[in-house]
Amino acid sequence: MKKLIFSVLAASLSLVSCQNSDDLLENSPENNLAGENQMTSKSNFFPATGQANEQYGSMGPYAVSTDAVLGDCGNLGGIIVDVLQSINVLDHTIQCTNNFPFGNGSPIMTSVYYPSNIANMDKLPVVNFVGGILSNEGNYAQMLKLWASHGFVVVVSSDFINTLPEMHILGALKASKLNKDTQSPLYGKIDMSRMIIAGHSAGGGASLLTSSIPDTALKLIDPALKVVGSLPIEPGPAAVSFTVKAPTLILTGRLDIVVMPWYTKLHQSHLLNQSPAWAATATTATHFSPTMEISKNEFAGISVAWLKYTGYNDADARTYFVGPNYKLKSDSQFLQGIHPYRVVRNQIADNLQ
């Protein structure tokens, strides 16, 4: 119950952050930095902008299938969703699966999204995603469908706590099982050697922890399993990153006061030193941006670019991260210049060719 109360309070704070974004910016030290743009909109929702969103922030070439059963958000969790929608913290496209506390099902569930014509495709990289504390799998359905539409198998797991690696481990086990099940439409279609560990909030912190697990331990799940990338979105504070072994893109939101970007910068992104790493803060993103419809999800385009880069080594996507003039550093969706939360990358990423 304490966690539930905290979640509601955090959401209310996020609303205050959005509704008073002008006042926060006006009174914050970062507003005094050269080149900082004043925000004039009072809207709770901001359209996704910038080059990555223009290129990748829309559905890809593939129709998407899923075994997730989505519907209204009910029970105690649904009441919270209704309240947050009524005060415009969440938009009205949010759906839920039946897992507790949003339905009568088990608190632990795993679903999968994939291109509908996967039978005619080669093996695909897999994204292993876990959401935030007290979230529901269905809250992220639009972002997960976006990723699958660009040629990925996306496994999403949840126990509505989502803070430690066990849900990512469950997701990896499900991917391996589906890949070996002759009755599954995904039989032989998942490339376990190209897995991206992703998450939001608590699941983002868990993604850093999971990406720190040694390869030898991961191969106990599946001998072919290899983590090729990590995507923590507004990662919770339970994890630090000095042990992360995979290329990592940490995304934060400037208007997120649940997991504030200064905390992530101080305790997480500055400690990545074993693998290439990037960090970027979206100018208008709140803590709930990853649950929004794609046109309002500031992380949509750059997340697809990251998945295509790490999962496919796609040449166009690679230009956002590699080279002296990498596009992420000039994308208007993210803070740039001399801002303390500007786009940065570590020395290992700088040296990539």
Side-chain angles (χ1 to χ4, degrees), residues 3-324:
K3 291 178 179 176
L4 178 61
I5 294 171
F6 172 79
S7 180
V8 174
L9 288 174
S12 300
L13 287 173
S14 187
L15 172 67
V16 172
S17 173
C18 292
Q19 288 181 327
N20 298 291
S21 59
D22 290 335
D23 297 333
L24 287 171
L25 292 172
E26 188 173 301
N27 296 322
S28 65
E30 65 194 50
N31 187 55
N32 297 323
L33 295 173
E36 180 67 31
N37 293 323
Q38 293 294 327
M39 201 171 296
T40 57
S41 173
K42 293 286 186 180
S43 170
N44 291 333
F45 305 131
F46 301 92
T49 61
Q51 189 173 0
N53 281 315
E54 290 175 4
Q55 184 170 0
Y56 296 119
S58 58
M59 295 296 284
Y62 305 111
V64 175
S65 296
T66 180
D67 63 357
V69 179
L70 302 176
D72 293 336
C73 302
N75 287 3
L76 181 61
I79 294 172
I80 297 173
V81 171
D82 289 342
V83 169
L84 297 183
Q85 286 175 331
S86 71
I87 57 178
N88 289 333
V89 172
L90 297 178
D91 68 26
H92 292 271
T93 62
I94 293 284
Q95 291 184 295
C96 292
T97 56
N98 191 44
N99 53 313
F100 178 85
F102 297 86
N104 299 318
S106 167
I108 301 174
M109 289 187 72
T110 304
S111 302
V112 62
Y113 296 77
Y114 56 92
S116 299
N117 65 334
I118 194 167
N120 302 319
M121 302 174 71
D122 293 331
K123 284 189 173 185
L124 302 182
V126 56
V127 183
N128 187 347
F129 179 84
V130 174
I133 190 170
L134 293 181
S135 69
N136 179 272
E137 291 180 25
N139 300 165
Y140 300 95
Q142 296 181 93
M143 185 168 67
L144 307 182
K145 289 177 182 176
L146 172 71
W147 294 349
S149 77
H150 283 272
F152 295 87
V153 174
V154 183
V155 177
V156 51
S157 306
S158 177
D159 63 1
F160 80 91
I161 301 300
N162 300 336
T163 304
L164 297 173
E166 64 265 21
M167 286 300 101
H168 282 115
I169 291 172
L170 179 63
L173 286 167
K174 173 154 187 172
S176 179
K177 180 179 178 180
L178 290 171
N179 196 42
K180 297 173 181 177
D181 182 358
T182 58
Q183 303 304 308
S184 167
L186 301 179
Y187 172 63
K189 293 297 182 178
I190 302 175
D191 188 346
M192 295 294 291
S193 70
R194 290 185 288 166
M195 179 176 286
I196 299 104
I197 305 295
H200 172 241
S201 193
S207 70
L208 290 168
L209 293 173
T210 307
S211 301
S212 302
I213 297 175
D215 288 344
T216 52
L218 292 174
K219 289 185 183 300
L220 296 175
I221 299 172
D222 188 301
L225 197 160
K226 181 175 178 58
V227 174
V228 296
S230 183
L231 180 60
I233 303 173
E234 300 173 316
V240 293
S241 54
F242 63 89
T243 55
V244 172
K245 297 173 174 59
T248 301
L249 172 63
I250 295 181
L251 297 173
T252 55
R254 186 184 179 201
L255 300 185
D256 183 353
I257 62 169
V258 179
V259 179
M260 291 174 281
W262 67 262
Y263 185 93
T264 301
K265 183 179 180 68
L266 180 64
H267 293 282
Q268 293 175 345
S269 61
H270 275 195
L271 298 177
L272 276 159
N273 53 26
Q274 294 192 37
S275 59
W278 296 254
T281 300
T283 56
T284 56
T286 72
H287 196 66
F288 298 97
S289 288
T291 69
M292 299 294 179
E293 60 184 271
I294 296 305
S295 64
K296 298 171 184 175
N297 180 352
E298 293 92 339
F299 304 120
I302 199 62
S303 65
V304 171
W306 179 251
L307 298 180
K308 290 174 75 71
Y309 167 51
T310 53
Y312 285 101
N313 196 23
D314 179 88
D316 286 341
R318 184 181 179 85
T319 62
Y320 282 88
F321 308 103
V322 177

